[in-house]
Amino acid sequence: MEINGEPATAPPSSTFDTLLVLDFGSQYSHLISRRLRDLQIYSELLPCTADILDLSWKPKGIILSGGPYSVYENGAPHVNWTQLSQLDVPILGICYGLQEIAWHHDNENVLAGEKREYGHAKLKIETHKGEADHVDKLFQGLGNDLDVWMSHGDKLSHIPASFSVIADTPNAPFAGIVHDSKPYYGIQFHPEVSHTPKGTELLRNFAVEICTARQHWTMQEFKGKEIARIRSLVGEKGQVIGAVSGGVDSTVAAKLMNEAIGGRFHAVLVDNGLLRQDEAKIVHKTLTKHLGIQLTVVDASQRFLGELKGITDPEQKRKIIGRNFIEVFQEEAHKVEAAAANSPNAGDIEWLLQGTLYPDVIESLSFKGPSQTIKSHHNVGGLPAAMRLKLIEPLRELFKDEVRILGTKLDIPEDLVWRHPFPGPGLAIRVLGEVTESQLRIARQADKIFIDELIANDLYRKTSQAFAALLPVRAVGVMGDKREHGQIISLRAVETTDFMTAVRTHFDIENRTFLDRVSSRITNEVEGITRVLYDITSKPPGTIEME
Ligand code: GLN
């Protein structure tokens, strides 16, 4: 099927009031968007070098993020201030952003401070009775003293012409500034981090009171609009194919497609033989029976296990699994297409569904400086390139917790919505060393005991990800008075909000006997295991998965 002209797509930025965050490379930039989303205000992030006059939508306001550079150094990133002011919307500069605003007004007033300021500071708010209406709006209702978090080495030497000071700290006399007639603000501290307790209220003041953005970004609203967008994008006859894994992202994406185009969406689950106990069966039942999604399960386990024979290197395992996945999925797509061709209103399959989330998009968009190549997320898995399909990514603008809320709005069962992430290569990277049927069986049994116990003890939702891994070494144990030389299971449970950093779950504090119970069950019930270890490594330096 040919699509004539541009399909009528309406990304959230064209239907929801949007705040644009321009990123200068701070490690907190994504948190600014995150905080605004918590306030039900839609927000997107673009690199500071983006051509903003070229956008197809107009932001309600702009936030300039922090960044690791110094505005006065050669090669430091800068916005096009003429373009920015032409947009004629409120602007808030945070840290580097404040320095950037000051620098554009007078490029001699930012210098290296005598000492770096890193950590907590007490901010004093200055009131300006009788001045322009907008001047006091940023700190409105936040009190006279504010606990804030600072992280900077540069500072303003003097206030730019036409600006006034609205806040200061003992070390930063220009910690908050405002333009006398325009809604341009700068703050030296970071309102987006949790160490600035009233930071979200300040961002609300900016977005709602100053930019007049509506707080209408809800998953209920998004759901309706996204379903309509998918319909117009795919057209009357378009067919879409997508891989599902049983995880929350692919299930939510699949359910959304199902609501939008019903049987013209074809879900495929590739059973690579590396799934958890009964997983293919459970996913099949949930997706078809409960969610009404048209699903084909392809049992390719022998093919994957055959190719993995004798392989112990983690990278090689991942590559073999990735390549076979693409091949199996492609073969299946041809079959689905041939079958669909017989139905009366079917066109060709021209779309591929992918459950890309906003953090991946941010990762590819954020400002990394001129020397670094920007990673493209479009070729995740190499599928679209290999299949010459167009990508459809309904979750592209969402953070993980938004996906979960959307899942509940789509009536996806709670236990699925809150499922821990599971890696694409599956148990192959949790069975260290060679992956064989018998090793997989041991890993599956141990994992099931661990997860079942987490659920039974109400700990599953408190951990972000948990699993059992099988180590390819042996240790001595005594079982029934007999010496056993068995294998070792390593348990991993971590807590994290963004999966970028993680710490192990401290079962020892509130649930002292939990690990003892899991250990005892595993050594008793899983044949061949003589020892159970608990992995206490943080990420970094560890990763969440073993390989
Ligand atoms: N690099 C600038 C400074 O040190 C800005 C720091 C920041 O934005 N956190 O002042």
Side-chain angles (χ1 to χ4, degrees):
M1 186 188 109
E2 282 294 313
I3 287 188
N4 299 319
E6 276 296 293
T9 62
S13 47
S14 63
T15 51
F16 291 92
D17 286 356
T18 304
L19 260 83
L20 174 61
V21 178
L22 288 177
D23 177 36
F24 288 89
S26 158
Q27 51 183 322
Y28 309 119
S29 300
H30 68 285
L31 285 180
I32 306 172
S33 272
R34 202 50 288 239
R35 294 284 99 83
L36 291 165
R37 300 277 188 102
D38 289 341
L39 292 163
Q40 299 188 337
I41 296 161
Y42 186 67
S43 161
E44 278 194 19
L45 181 138
L46 287 176
C48 55
T49 47
D51 192 348
I52 39 178
L53 293 185
D54 245 21
L55 294 176
S56 60
W57 49 279
K58 185 175 173 177
K60 293 289 284 185
I62 292 180
I63 298 180
L64 309 179
S65 83
Y69 313 91
S70 289
V71 282
Y72 49 78
E73 72 192 350
N74 253 343
H78 293 293
V79 284
N80 183 329
W81 186 260
T82 320
Q83 277 192 4
L84 265 197
S85 33
Q86 270 170 28
L87 268 187
D88 200 23
V89 295
I91 298 172
L92 169 67
I94 295 175
C95 202
Y96 185 95
L98 155 95
Q99 296 160 3
E100 175 75 357
I101 294 175
W103 185 86
H104 277 289
H105 284 83
D106 162 1
N107 64 13
E108 304 233 302
N109 69 2
V110 182
L111 355 135
E114 298 86 64
K115 56 175 183 174
R116 280 183 58 85
E117 199 177 14
Y118 188 84
H120 172 265
K122 261 271 183 258
L123 190 80
K124 202 155 79 51
I125 315 293
E126 306 291 340
T127 40
H128 293 259
K129 292 270 168 303
E131 298 212 24
D133 187 38
H134 72 283
V135 170
D136 291 325
K137 274 193 174 163
L138 191 63
F139 291 111
Q140 191 174 291
L142 304 187
N144 299 324
D145 288 307
L146 219 54
D147 289 307
V148 299
W149 195 81
M150 296 273 196
S151 170
H152 67 115
D154 299 335
K155 61 189 218 175
L156 305 199
S157 60
H158 56 270
I159 184 110
S162 335
F163 276 81
S164 304
V165 177
I166 47 173
D168 51 63
T169 73
N171 190 43
F174 311 114
I177 63 170
V178 62
H179 192 280
D180 293 336
S181 57
K182 296 201 157 93
Y184 298 159
Y185 304 80
I187 48 180
Q188 187 60 71
F189 57 94
H190 289 268
E192 70 276 27
V193 301
S194 57
H195 312 293
T196 300
K198 289 191 175 165
T200 307
E201 285 170 62
L202 182 144
L203 290 173
R204 190 200 155 276
N205 278 348
F206 179 68
V208 178
E209 304 301 332
I210 297 167
C211 303
T212 66
R214 281 171 298 168
Q215 293 169 282
H216 60 154
W217 171 251
T218 64
M219 285 302 105
Q220 191 60 38
E221 282 277 323
F222 174 79
K223 179 184 131 185
K225 287 183 169 154
E226 188 57 19
I227 289 172
R229 187 183 79 94
I230 295 167
R231 280 190 190 135
S232 75
L233 194 66
V234 175
E236 296 280 302
K237 291 191 167 184
Q239 307 268 329
V240 181
I241 193 162
V244 290
S245 64
V248 49
D249 305 344
S250 67
T251 309
V252 169
K255 179 68 178 154
L256 210 47
M257 294 310 294
N258 183 255
E259 300 256 312
I261 58 167
R264 286 187 288 129
F265 171 63
H266 310 272
V268 176
L269 173 70
V270 176
D271 182 352
N272 53 13
L274 306 164
L275 304 177
R276 285 164 292 190
Q277 192 131 311
D278 299 326
E279 189 145 37
K281 258 188 265 165
I282 297 169
V283 174
H284 183 256
K285 191 167 156 200
T286 316
L287 264 63
T288 56
K289 288 238 171 67
H290 298 306
L291 301 174
I293 294 165
Q294 179 168 248
L295 170 73
T296 314
V297 180
V298 192
D299 182 0
S301 33
Q302 289 318 315
R303 174 172 181 162
F304 281 86
L305 293 182
E307 297 255 341
L308 286 168
K309 216 175 162 84
I311 308 293
T312 53
D313 176 62
E315 267 313 294
Q316 236 186 319
K317 286 184 190 175
R318 284 179 181 269
K319 284 202 183 105
I320 291 171
I321 295 164
R323 174 169 44 75
N324 277 279
F325 177 82
I326 293 175
E327 287 168 14
V328 172
F329 187 82
Q330 261 182 302
E331 286 162 23
E332 197 51 37
H334 290 309
K335 286 188 211 157
V336 167
E337 192 158 46
N342 299 325
S343 73
N345 61 346
D348 295 339
I349 293 183
E350 54 176 327
W351 297 92
L352 175 72
L353 173 70
Q354 259 183 11
T356 317
L357 301 195
Y358 201 48
D360 304 328
V361 177
I362 289 186
E363 168 67 18
S364 71
L365 285 181
S366 54
F367 183 77
K368 306 257 175 51
S371 61
Q372 296 195 31
T373 31
I374 289 168
K375 181 174 108 192
S376 163
H377 65 280
H378 274 285
N379 287 322
V380 178
L383 266 178
M387 298 179 70
R388 275 181 270 108
L389 292 174
K390 288 179 278 184
L391 273 186
I392 187 160
E393 300 175 296
L395 313 179
R396 211 186 131 78
E397 281 88 16
L398 308 188
F399 288 99
K400 187 90 178 180
D401 57 320
E402 292 174 329
V403 173
R404 290 198 156 119
I405 299 170
L406 179 60
T408 55
K409 304 280 176 222
L410 287 162
D411 298 322
I412 293 174
E414 278 276 295
D415 52 343
L416 209 163
V417 163
W418 289 101
R419 234 170 156 206
H420 292 172
F422 184 65
L427 297 180
I429 56 170
R430 294 179 180 176
V431 167
L432 279 62
E434 190 184 0
V435 184
T436 61
E437 297 262 21
S438 61
Q439 291 290 76
L440 284 167
R441 200 174 318 120
I442 295 176
R444 271 191 194 110
Q445 280 177 10
D447 189 72
K448 179 153 169 47
I449 292 172
F450 187 30
I451 301 298
D452 282 353
E453 286 294 335
L454 282 168
I455 295 170
N457 290 282
D458 209 15
L459 290 164
Y460 185 79
R461 287 267 294 264
K462 291 188 190 122
T463 54
S464 311
Q465 193 164 341
F467 59 89
L470 178 60
L471 309 186
V473 284
R474 286 180 184 267
V476 171
V478 185
M479 291 181 151
D481 278 342
K482 223 177 96 213
R483 179 186 184 275
E484 289 269 344
H485 198 209
Q487 295 196 87
I488 305 177
I489 282 289
S490 166
L491 303 175
R492 181 109 167 108
V494 295
E495 285 169 25
T496 171
T497 45
D498 54 11
F499 293 90
M500 306 291 283
T501 60
V503 290
R504 58 133 168 166
T505 305
H506 285 80
F507 294 116
D508 37 347
I509 296 175
E510 274 176 36
N511 302 277
R512 288 171 180 283
T513 55
F514 175 73
L515 287 174
D516 305 62
R517 182 171 165 69
V518 177
S519 161
S520 141
R521 278 199 59 194
I522 291 177
T523 45
N524 274 298
E525 296 172 36
V526 186
E527 221 185 293
I529 297 299
T530 46
R531 299 267 168 135
V532 176
L533 314 178
Y534 185 53
D535 185 346
I536 62 168
T537 324
S538 296
K539 172 183 179 175
T543 56
I544 295 176
E545 293 293 338
M546 275 282 191
E547 291 195 331

